[in-house]
Each structure stands twice: as C-alpha cells, then as structure tokens.
Amino acid sequence: MSADRFRRIALSLPEVVEGAHHGTTDFRVGKRIFATLGYPDQDWGMVKLTPEQQAMVIEAEPEIFRPVPGGWGKGGGTNVRLAKADQVTLRSALKMARDNIAVKPAKKARAKQPT
C-alpha cells in the first residue's frame, strides 16, 4: 500500500477532505481529523479508532496495526504500516475511523435532551 493509495481510499469516503496538521497530511470530516499520513514517518499512517476497535484490528492484523505510542494510543490512535496493509483492510479501518467522528452535532444534542 502506498501513501497515494491511502489518500485515494480516505478521500473516497463521504464528506472527507484533505488538510494538513503539524506537518502531516490529514483527512477530516468538517473540522474533525480521523486519519493522517506520515506519522511517525512516511512508512506509516494513523487512524483514530475507539480502544475496542483498536484491540480488534491489532489482534486480527498485528503486522499492519499498532497503538500510537503514549496516551493517544491508549485512546484509540492506531498506526497503520502502509507496506503491509491491503486495500480491504485499510478501507475498513478508515471507514471505522471516519464513522467515529462523523456523528452529526444535532444527533448528539437530541440524545442529551431528557425525555
């Protein structure tokens, strides 16, 4: 998997735009980042998963996925080894990450209102 392929898959998801953050390429819905390229270096990408999703993908594909070092990784930040990732696995991880952050604010507001 190349960085360009990662980019094409990320941008094929609904409402996704490419941006930049701290010297890396990022992918976001609205202002919320769900994936980056080039972290910690050009051989890696990163997806923001839940801790449960992270555990699932690492168990299933330990050659592809690893927690981001430190606290961010404990929260679900997951590195993707680009050279080992196949298109189906990467699309699944990117879709999970995108869906995690794409919840509409109106839905959140309604969920918090008492019934």
Side-chain angles (χ1 to χ4, degrees):
M1 176 71 55
S2 68
D4 285 338
R5 190 64 158 155
F6 184 107
R7 176 180 282 108
R8 284 195 298 269
I9 293 170
L11 291 172
S12 74
L13 299 173
E15 303 174 22
V16 173
V17 296
E18 184 174 333
H21 184 74
H22 295 286
T24 62
T25 300
D26 67 47
F27 302 93
R28 52 182 82 205
V29 174
K31 295 181 181 181
R32 301 190 65 203
I33 297 170
F34 71 92
T36 62
L37 272 171
Y39 182 79
D41 60 41
Q42 73 277 1
D43 295 331
W44 295 88
M46 187 282 307
V47 291
K48 288 185 178 178
L49 302 176
T50 66
E52 295 79 17
Q53 290 167 333
Q54 180 189 67
M56 178 185 69
V57 299
I58 290 171
E59 183 177 332
E61 298 286 353
E63 294 294 316
I64 299 172
F65 300 104
R66 72 176 188 191
V68 170
W72 202 25
K74 291 177 184 174
T78 306
N79 280 134
V80 181
R81 186 184 315 266
L82 298 177
K84 299 282 186 174
D86 62 82
Q87 183 172 337
V88 171
T89 302
L90 180 59
R91 179 176 294 280
S92 176
L94 284 165
K95 185 176 180 326
M96 280 190 289
R98 183 242 173 243
D99 291 350
N100 288 341
I101 61 99
V103 176
K104 303 282 187 233
K107 289 183 182 179
K108 285 184 176 179
R110 279 195 299 262
K112 292 181 181 178
Q113 293 176 350
T115 55

